[in-house]
Amino acid sequence: STVMVTFGAMVIAVPLGIGTALYLSEVASRRLREIAKPFVEILAGIPSVVIGFIGILVISPIIANIFGLSNGLNAINGSILLAIMALPTIISISEDILKSIPKTYQEASLALGATKWQTIIRVKLPAVKSGIIAACLLGMGRAIGETMTVLMVTGCSLAMPTSYFDSVRTLTATIAIEMGEVP
């Protein structure tokens, strides 16, 4: 269940996070960047209980209505919320890494006749590949270690899941639930 929910979260968070970081570092105006960057950092500070509460009240009914389920407390709900929680880490670190590329890389690529997007895809991204992988791994660490959100929105079922629409119980949720049994 833990691997399932974390994998789902990374499928959602990695493309969104890297795309947002590319947009903020390469396309967005300075003014928009000054507004968006603090917003992303504030998103990282929202407590997991609040995100879980939003998941129960907002995301769960939407999932239940769209897919015709009795409730939305399942692995896909947990994946969506964990993706939201991993996004600030991935975006912030990826943007900082993209900003650290020497200007000479971009200037050399443009001087050889490459377009701005060719430069981004073929020069900048390969140059920062290891940093972006590190950002994604840190985001995944946040997703794996999250307790309260998955405890609240995944249904906490011990049965073996067969799809993302089944209730699951992750390792961190199991530890939290059984903490009272520790002498």
Side-chain angles (χ1 to χ4, degrees), residues 18-92:
I18 294 172
T20 304
L22 280 170
Y23 176 77
L24 289 175
S25 68
E26 303 296 328
V27 179
S29 66
R30 184 170 184 245
R31 186 166 191 264
L32 179 61
R33 198 175 314 123
E34 288 174 358
I35 294 169
K37 185 76 170 176
F39 178 75
V40 168
E41 291 171 3
I42 287 172
L43 184 61
I46 297 174
S48 59
V49 173
V50 173
I51 292 178
F53 187 67
I54 291 169
I56 289 172
L57 292 180
V58 177
I59 307 294
S60 180
I62 291 171
I63 290 172
N65 288 337
I66 290 174
F67 297 104
L69 303 170
S70 61
N71 66 47
L73 300 178
N74 50 33
I76 194 75
N77 194 353
S79 294
I80 291 168
L81 294 174
L82 288 181
I84 291 169
M85 295 180 79
L87 274 173
T89 303
I90 295 171
I91 293 169
S92 293

Side-chain angles (χ1 to χ4, degrees), residues 80-125:
I80 291 168
L81 294 174
L82 288 181
I84 291 169
M85 295 180 79
L87 274 173
T89 303
I90 295 171
I91 293 169
S92 293
I93 294 172
S94 295
E95 187 201 4
D96 291 341
I97 295 293
L98 285 162
K99 287 284 189 187
S100 72
I101 298 172
K103 273 286 201 202
T104 56
Y105 284 27
Q106 181 174 352
E107 292 168 354
S109 177
L110 294 173
L112 289 171
T115 65
K116 182 176 182 174
W117 286 105
Q118 287 172 331
T119 300
I120 292 169
I121 301 297
R122 295 190 177 153
V123 176
K124 288 189 169 191
L125 282 178

Side-chain angles (χ1 to χ4, degrees), residues 120-145:
I120 292 169
I121 301 297
R122 295 190 177 153
V123 176
K124 288 189 169 191
L125 282 178
V128 295
K129 182 173 63 173
S130 63
I132 289 177
I133 290 171
C136 294
L137 289 175
L138 288 169
M140 187 174 76
R142 172 93 193 261
I144 288 175

